[in-house]
C-alpha cells in the first residue's frame, strides 16, 4: 500500500472542513494557534514513517498525556489502581463533576480529567513530590519518543489560573479521600503534563509500545506487560474521546486518545501508531478534522481493528 499517497489524499480531502469547528479557548493560552494547521504521521513497528503537513510542529498534547501517566501508574500499582480509577466510559464531558458526587469520588476512567488527576496523585505519592513526579513523567515520554520535550510555560500558567473545574474536581475527590497528596502538588503535576508540546511525528513514535504489546518495538524496552497493554488499548477504544468515544469508535474503529490542543493518537495493534493534529475542535472537544482524517485513513486502508 502506498501510505504516503494515502496521507496526501487525506490532506486534500479534509480541506473543505477547515471552516468548521472551534479552537479551545477555555484555557486562554490555547487560543494562540494557527487554526488551519494540519499534520498527520504514521509510524510502523518496523520504524518506517510517513508524514504529511506540519508534522514537525509542536503543539500542546493536553489529554494525550493521560495515556503516558496511566501507563506509568499501571506499571507501578498494577491492579490496585483499579480501585481508585474505574474503567467504564463516562458518557459525560471531559471535565464533568456530576458523576463524581454520586460515585463517591471514584472517576469512571483515567481519560476524563478526574481520572487523570487521580493518576497524577498516584505518581506524586510514588515519587514524593510534584517536582520529582514531573521529572519522571518527562523522562518516560522523552525515552519513548526519543525526544527532549518541554512544556509551554504560558499554557501551564494559563491552566493554573483558569482551571476552575479541574480545581473543583480535585477538591471533590479529596473530600472523598481519593486524593492522597496536597492538592497543589497534584494539580501542578497534572497541569504540567498537559502543557507538554510534541509533534505528530514524536507522538506517533511515542505510542508504538501500545501497538506492540507494551514493548517499544524500536528499543525492545518493556513498558507494560501484554495484559496491561491490552487494558490500556481497551480503555482508549471505550473512553479515549470523552462523550464522543462511541462516535469515534463507530467512525474510526481504532483505540485512540484526543486532547483539546487538537491532537489525536490512534493505534493499529501489532502494526502502527498514528497521530493527527488540527486545532479546531468539535462540540465534545475532539479535533474535528483529526477525527475525519483518521476515519478516511481506516476507510482507505481497511486497517481498523474490526
Ligand atoms: N488540560 C486540559 C484540562 O484539564 C485537558 C483537557 C483535554 O485535553 O481534554 O482541561
Amino acid at each position: 500500500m502506498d501510505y504516503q499517497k494515502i496521507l496526501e489524499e487525506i490532506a486534500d480531502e479534509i480541506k473543505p472542513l477547515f471552516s468548521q469547528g472551534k479552537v479551545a479557548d477555555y484555557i486562554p493560552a490555547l487560543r494562540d494557534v494557527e487554526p488551519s494547521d494540519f499534520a498527520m504521521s504514521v509510524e510502523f513497528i518496523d520504524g518506517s514513517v510517513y508524514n504529511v503537513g506540519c508534522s514537525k510542529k509542536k503543539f500542546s498534547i493536553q489529554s494525550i498525556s493521560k495515556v503516558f501517566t496511566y501507563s506509568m501508574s499501571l506499571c507501578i500499582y498494577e491492579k490496585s489502581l483499579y480501585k481508585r480509577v474505574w474503567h467504564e466510559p463516562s458518557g459525560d464531558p471531559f471535565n464533568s463533576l456530576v458523576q463524581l458526587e454520586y460515585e463517591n469520588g471514584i472517576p469512571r476512567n483515567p481519560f476524563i480529567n478526574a481520572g487523570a488527576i487521580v493518576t497524577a496523585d498516584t505518581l506524586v505519592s510514588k515519587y514524593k513530590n510534584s517536582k520529582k513526579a514531573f521529572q519522571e513523567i518527562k523522562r518516560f515520554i522523552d525515552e519513548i519518543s526519543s525526544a527532549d520535550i518541554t512544556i509551554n510555560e504560558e499554557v501551564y500558567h494559563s491552566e493554573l489560573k483558569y482551571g476552575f473545574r479541574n480545581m473543583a474536581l480535585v477538591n471533590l475527590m479529596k473530600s472523598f479521600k481519593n486524593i492522597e497528596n496536597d492538592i497543589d502538588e497534584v494539580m501542578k503535576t497534572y497541569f504540567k503534563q498537559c502543557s507538554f508540546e510534541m509533534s505528530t511525528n514524536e507522538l506517533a513514535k511515542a505510542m508504538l509500545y501500545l501497538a506492540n504489546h507494551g514493548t517499544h518495538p524500536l528499543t525492545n524496552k518493556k513498558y507494560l506487560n501484554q495484559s496491561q497493554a491490552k487494558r490500556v488499548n481497551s480503555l482508549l477504544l471505550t473512553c479515549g474521546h470523552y462523550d464522543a468515544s462511541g462516535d469515534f469508535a463507530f467512525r474510526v474503529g481504532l483505540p485512540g486518545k484526543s486532547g483539546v490542543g487538537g491532537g489525536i493518537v490512534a493505534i493499529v495493534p501489532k502494526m502502527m501508531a498514528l497521530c493527527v493534529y488540527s486545532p479546531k475542535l468539535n462540540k465534545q472537544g475532539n479535533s474535528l478534522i483529526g477525527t475525519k482524517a483518521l476515519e478516511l485513513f481506516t476507510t482507505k486502508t481497511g486497517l481498523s481493528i474490526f
Side-chain angles (χ1 to χ4, degrees):
M1 216 167 328
D2 187 344
Y3 288 100
Q4 190 59 43
K5 185 161 164 278
I6 289 170
L7 292 188
E8 277 157 25
E9 274 172 29
I10 293 171
D12 210 43
E13 287 171 35
I14 47 93
K15 278 184 189 147
L17 298 177
F18 275 115
S19 56
Q20 298 179 29
K22 198 168 165 287
V23 165
D25 57 5
Y26 74 101
I27 303 166
L30 283 182
R31 276 192 218 124
D32 302 333
V33 289
E34 178 46 63
S36 59
D37 270 349
F38 174 75
M40 190 163 181
S41 298
V42 174
E43 179 133 359
F44 282 75
I45 56 177
D46 70 1
S48 44
V49 194
Y50 301 89
N51 298 301
V52 74
C54 54
S55 58
K56 298 236 158 17
K57 184 164 183 170
K58 311 246 186 196
F59 60 89
S60 192
I61 72 169
Q62 292 294 319
S63 278
I64 296 172
S65 64
K66 296 171 183 172
V67 185
F68 303 129
T69 51
Y70 187 67
S71 297
M72 290 172 71
S73 189
L74 189 57
C75 188
I76 298 163
Y77 294 97
E78 303 181 336
K79 289 184 183 155
S80 65
L81 182 61
Y82 306 152
K83 290 191 209 109
R84 295 188 58 193
V85 193
W86 288 336
H87 36 264
E88 283 296 337
S90 71
D92 275 329
F94 65 96
N95 54 8
S96 173
L97 283 144
V98 286
Q99 250 167 5
L100 261 190
E101 167 81 37
Y102 58 79
E103 293 184 348
N104 302 319
I106 311 289
R108 278 284 175 108
N109 67 70
F111 298 145
I112 48 174
N113 287 9
I117 291 168
V118 169
T119 307
D121 182 54
T122 66
L123 296 177
V124 175
S125 295
K126 166 77 183 168
Y127 297 111
K128 311 290 181 237
N129 58 50
S130 160
K131 193 165 173 230
K132 189 76 203 326
F134 172 71
Q135 276 169 0
E136 288 300 317
I137 298 168
K138 175 174 157 49
R139 199 190 52 73
F140 179 89
I141 306 176
D142 278 351
E143 192 175 289
I144 53 170
S145 59
S146 321
D148 179 13
I149 62 167
T150 51
I151 67 164
N152 180 320
E153 290 286 344
E154 207 188 321
V155 170
Y156 170 59
H157 288 289
S158 197
E159 295 220 48
L160 269 181
K161 187 163 172 200
Y162 295 97
F164 307 119
R165 294 188 73 89
N166 288 322
M167 294 311 287
L169 289 169
V170 76
N171 276 289
L172 187 58
M173 292 190 290
K174 182 90 179 164
S175 77
F176 281 109
K177 304 200 169 20
N178 197 18
I179 293 291
E180 292 171 347
N181 297 283
D182 180 272
I183 57 171
D184 290 334
E185 287 291 289
V186 177
M187 295 318 284
K188 272 192 224 159
T189 310
Y190 172 71
F191 288 138
K192 276 195 178 164
Q193 73 177 65
C194 289
S195 307
F196 276 126
E197 293 192 313
M198 294 172 77
S199 65
T200 56
N201 196 260
E202 288 165 343
L203 275 165
K205 179 177 279 181
M207 291 294 159
L208 278 178
Y209 72 106
L210 289 175
N212 192 44
H213 299 309
T215 297
H216 202 296
L218 305 179
T219 58
N220 259 335
K221 182 155 179 189
K222 186 171 171 180
Y223 293 98
L224 294 173
N225 65 34
Q226 189 165 337
S227 160
Q228 291 167 330
K230 177 191 79 176
R231 291 178 197 282
V232 176
N233 275 307
S234 304
L235 282 170
L236 289 174
L237 183 72
T238 53
C239 313
H241 285 74
Y242 321 120
D243 45 340
S245 297
D247 192 55
F248 184 85
F250 181 73
R251 287 173 195 277
V252 178
L254 293 176
K257 182 74 203 88
S258 66
V260 292
I264 304 180
V265 291
I267 314 294
V268 182
K270 303 183 198 63
M271 196 167 182
M272 65 171 80
L274 301 105
C275 181
V276 59
Y277 170 61
S278 172
K280 287 172 93 179
L281 309 178
N282 62 21
K283 284 200 179 63
Q284 290 90 3
N286 303 308
S287 172
L288 189 142
I289 287 180
T291 306
K292 185 66 193 175
L294 288 166
E295 181 183 350
L296 286 168
F297 183 85
T298 53
T299 303
K300 284 172 187 289
T301 59
L303 288 176
S304 89
I305 59 168
F306 301 107

